[in-house]
Amino acid sequence: MKTDWKAGPNELMLKMSQLPVPYFTLSSRAVRGIAACLALALAAGVTLAYAAETQIFDPKTHKWVEYDRKKARSYYAAHKQVPETFRRQVVKFKTAEKPGTIIIDGNQHFLYLVQPGFTAIRYGIGVGREGFGWAGIVRVGRTAEWPTWTPPAEMVARDPNAAKWAGGQPGGPDNPLGARALYLYQGNQDTIYRIHGTPEPWTIGLDVSSGCIRMNNDDITDLHSRIEVGAKVIVLMQGASLYKGV
Amino acid sequence: MTRNVALHLSGTLMLLVSCGTSFAADLVVGMPNWPSGQASANIIKFGIEKELGLDVEVREMGTLTIFAGLDAGEVDVHPEVWLPNLDSLVKRYVDDKKTVKLSPKEVAATQGMCATRETADTYGIKDIADLSDPEKTSVLDTDGDGQGEIWIGAETWSSTTIERIRAESYGYTKTVKLLEMPEDLAMAAVDAASATNEPIVFYCYSPHHVFDLHDIVQLTEPKHDDGKWKIVLPSDDPAGWLSKSSAPVGWPPSHFQIAFATKTAERLPKVASFLSRIDFTAKEVTEMSYALQVEKQDPAAFAQKWIATHEDRLESWTK
């Protein structure tokens, strides 16, 4: 992820690291989806070993400095919010897609909800540690408020923390799916991927844990209130590893 | 008495013909899945219905199916046959089998690699040779491997095969990764790149609404040279098409034309004459694309509006 992006005038400018991204075939999507949810579950209460080499540009010293999950958390603690770039905002967005369409740019960590008049509401998102992992055109198949999270059987077998929620963790502030979840379908088939909230809002803007798309709870609640079931969702190839290279 | 019988028979036949038309249209226009093709298919439908009083059905299908239908007499019209992309089909059906005819009117088109103005001005990617410069193309990297990515078209497009051959011939397969995916995904990526001033390079063709939506420039490249344009299609040589092909030059001048079945021309010469006079301009085709894709106008409704506001054109096509 080579994108440089500017934060607000007093914010830090961040430079995402360049991470090697493996290629997957379409048939491995489901497998990867399960892996994504495993990682997601870990994110609920266990600190992950964060291997990304993200850097921050410090405007005072004009130097790039190492930036990691811990520092992102410190930033959030100091400002009570993510950097301005990742805050919900209306932006100019010229597109042929109709209002109500969601466009996800995993490379830049933005989710756009297309609005009339060549504008969009832009939200910050967190995506998988290995980039995004997949791309394509799907739709919102269903939604849920304060969704229950059920760990996969494999995780229950090896992780005591997950095992206690084998029957499903009720929705709530500690639930890894956060305040709302939009379930992404391809045709009538659940892709296993979701756009969901998170109890870790400081991770927005980072490549953190899962193949799902995470947003802070205020943002996913706002998005949930604006979209219709059936809405078209375009996950861009940028930052994705699914589409074949030739 | 004989005359009465004849009248009776004539009436019965008319009734049968009348009943027949209620089930099957006089003409079938194949409709491809891109916006200008959808608009022009409907303009042809409503234009012929209005001017020639025939019943016309628009039926969505792919180009190969339309050509097979033209050959078999099951489809009458293809509204937008791109050349040189479909040279092989034209050779088979127009030149050799002579079951399909092309309208003499052509709409000029372009194909090649495009970039946003930002990409050209800020990142210096202006010429096709820049795609072979790893320092320049590294800014197009989005998956973290240090190598840029560019979209070369949808998997099913004939142009995508040719773009892959061109990339191999120019040598930029060593510096960029070629991506194939549906056009909606690629265009949304252009939208997102434009919104954030991120660089992007992609296959483009005109007339197309993207040129009205964003500030787009086509990369310069060596002019087309027939002597250097050797295209072997996968259908002709599944194993060796890429190694046997070479095209280190720009596309030949491209254009598209209306095609219709030879049998249709014999059966309905006025229809053939009408189709042969249709003279859409590149600007009109871009407007069609923009109206359907950006403004989300219904193809049939757009066509009816177009017909109502272009009576002079319809008259000139009917003469």
Side-chain angles (χ1 to χ4, degrees):
Chain A
M1 318 284 153
K2 49 100 190 96
T3 310
D4 293 353
W5 31 266
K6 290 179 181 174
N10 299 316
E11 308 274 350
L12 299 170
M13 188 157 67
L14 308 180
K15 181 182 181 183
M16 302 311 295
S17 61
Q18 297 193 345
L19 299 173
V21 180
Y23 277 79
F24 294 88
T25 63
L26 277 166
S27 59
S28 70
R29 177 179 291 184
V31 174
R32 185 163 171 72
I34 292 166
C37 290
L38 290 173
L40 180 70
L42 284 169
V46 181
T47 302
L48 282 169
Y50 183 61
E53 296 169 2
T54 305
Q55 293 180 313
I56 300 173
F57 183 77
D58 186 338
K60 291 178 183 170
T61 62
H62 293 274
K63 287 181 180 174
W64 290 95
V65 294
E66 292 300 315
Y67 183 76
D68 56 21
R69 183 184 171 92
K70 187 178 173 185
K71 289 181 179 175
R73 190 168 185 163
S74 299
Y75 180 91
Y76 189 87
H79 297 84
K80 305 297 179 196
Q81 56 187 343
V82 294
E84 186 176 319
T85 301
F86 297 126
R87 294 176 204 157
R88 185 169 73 230
Q89 54 198 284
V90 176
V91 296
K92 286 184 183 173
F93 194 80
K94 298 186 84 174
T95 182
E97 295 299 331
K98 66 179 181 183
T101 301
I102 292 171
I103 297 173
I104 296 169
D105 183 347
N107 184 45
Q108 298 201 64
H109 299 89
F110 293 144
L111 181 151
Y112 298 93
L113 176 62
V114 177
Q115 299 289 292
F118 290 141
T119 63
I121 301 173
R122 193 181 80 191
Y123 305 83
I125 57 172
V127 296
R129 272 196 293 176
E130 294 175 340
F132 204 70
W134 61 284
I137 299 174
V138 291
R139 68 181 181 88
V140 177
R142 66 185 177 92
T143 68
E145 298 186 12
W146 294 107
T148 297
W149 174 70
T150 305
E154 300 90 338
M155 181 174 233
V156 171
R158 67 176 174 79
D159 180 356
N161 281 327
K164 73 178 178 185
W165 299 118
Q169 179 180 1
D174 296 328
N175 188 299
L177 293 181
R180 303 285 186 275
L182 313 182
Y183 297 79
L184 302 181
Y185 280 54
Q186 198 161 37
N188 292 321
Q189 185 81 29
D190 188 344
T191 65
I192 316 181
Y193 289 106
R194 287 91 175 85
I195 303 171
H196 59 79
T198 177
E200 299 178 310
W202 56 88
T203 59
I204 300 306
L206 294 176
D207 297 348
V208 278
S209 62
S210 80
C212 299
I213 301 115
R214 57 169 61 188
M215 304 170 67
N216 72 47
N217 281 343
D218 283 348
D219 282 353
I220 189 66
T221 302
D222 182 80
L223 178 64
H224 177 265
S225 73
R226 295 174 186 274
I227 60 102
E228 303 281 342
V229 169
K232 182 178 181 181
V233 180
I234 300 176
V235 179
L236 299 183
M237 62 206 177
Q238 275 68 18
S241 58
L242 179 64
Y243 271 98
K244 65 177 182 180
V246 179
Chain B
M1 179 65 185
T2 307
R3 190 166 179 270
N4 282 344
V5 171
L7 281 173
H8 265 296
L9 283 171
S10 169
T12 306
L13 279 172
M14 282 184 72
L15 186 65
L16 285 171
V17 170
S18 174
C19 288
T21 53
S22 68
F23 292 102
D26 300 311
L27 280 174
V28 174
V29 178
M31 183 172 73
N33 66 356
W34 57 87
S36 60
Q38 293 172 328
S40 55
N42 278 279
I43 289 173
I44 289 169
K45 167 188 162 65
F46 291 110
I48 289 176
E49 287 185 344
K50 181 173 186 289
E51 297 295 324
L52 304 178
L54 298 171
D55 181 24
V56 184
E57 178 191 353
V58 167
R59 199 181 295 166
E60 186 165 359
M61 55 184 87
T63 284
L64 290 175
T65 311
I66 297 177
F67 265 93
L70 291 169
D71 181 56
E74 292 162 0
V75 178
D76 298 287
V77 184
H78 188 315
E80 211 178 282
V81 175
W82 278 70
L83 299 171
N85 312 37
L86 300 174
D87 273 347
S88 61
L89 289 178
V90 167
K91 183 178 184 308
R92 188 184 311 160
Y93 294 112
V94 178
D95 300 337
D96 296 343
K97 295 185 77 175
K98 301 189 190 307
T99 52
V100 178
K101 288 177 179 290
L102 291 177
S103 158
K105 304 285 187 191
E106 299 176 356
V107 179
T110 62
Q111 298 178 78
M113 299 306 300
C114 279
T116 54
R117 178 82 58 191
E118 178 80 10
T119 308
D121 292 349
T122 305
Y123 298 94
I125 300 177
K126 299 176 179 178
D127 187 88
I128 202 85
D130 294 325
L131 296 180
S132 298
D133 180 341
E135 278 191 33
K136 287 185 177 176
T137 54
S138 65
V139 303
L140 304 173
D141 178 31
T142 63
D143 64 6
D145 67 355
Q147 193 177 45
E149 291 85 40
I150 59 176
W151 178 67
I152 59 166
E155 286 185 53
T156 55
W157 293 354
S158 53
S159 60
T160 307
T161 299
I162 296 173
E163 280 302 335
R164 197 188 297 192
I165 291 168
R166 276 160 38 82
E168 192 75 29
S169 305
Y170 277 123
Y172 55 80
T173 48
K174 297 183 180 72
T175 49
V176 295
K177 202 175 298 163
L178 309 181
L179 302 174
E180 298 177 14
M181 67 194 63
E183 186 174 8
D184 277 4
L185 262 170
M187 291 300 103
V190 175
D191 301 336
S194 295
T196 51
N197 294 324
E198 283 293 301
I200 191 165
V201 173
F202 57 100
Y203 164 75
C204 58
Y205 61 93
S206 70
H208 192 280
H209 63 269
V210 74
F211 293 93
D212 284 354
L213 200 56
H214 301 296
D215 192 0
I216 301 296
V217 292
Q218 187 165 345
L219 303 190
T220 54
E221 58 181 309
K223 281 186 178 174
H224 176 74
D225 179 344
D226 273 340
K228 295 180 179 175
W229 187 265
K230 187 183 176 192
I231 302 293
V232 178
L233 297 175
S235 54
D236 296 330
D237 187 346
W241 65 274
L242 188 57
S243 60
K244 290 176 183 172
S245 296
S246 179
V249 290
W251 282 79
S254 304
H255 63 269
F256 53 84
Q257 293 162 267
I258 293 171
F260 49 89
T262 304
K263 282 181 184 169
T264 307
E266 292 165 359
R267 179 169 61 96
L268 298 163
K270 282 186 178 176
V271 169
S273 172
F274 181 90
L275 294 170
S276 298
R277 289 195 172 106
I278 292 178
D279 55 352
F280 292 130
T281 64
K283 186 170 179 291
E284 285 173 336
V285 176
T286 302
E287 288 167 359
M288 292 176 196
S289 171
Y290 194 88
L292 268 58
Q293 197 71 10
V294 182
E295 297 172 350
K296 305 298 175 196
Q297 293 193 41
D298 172 71
F302 170 83
Q304 286 170 305
K305 201 163 55 184
W306 198 95
I307 295 283
T309 54
H310 292 78
E311 285 189 6
D312 54 331
R313 303 288 296 287
L314 261 76
E315 280 178 23
S316 71
W317 300 345
T318 314
K319 278 177 185 170

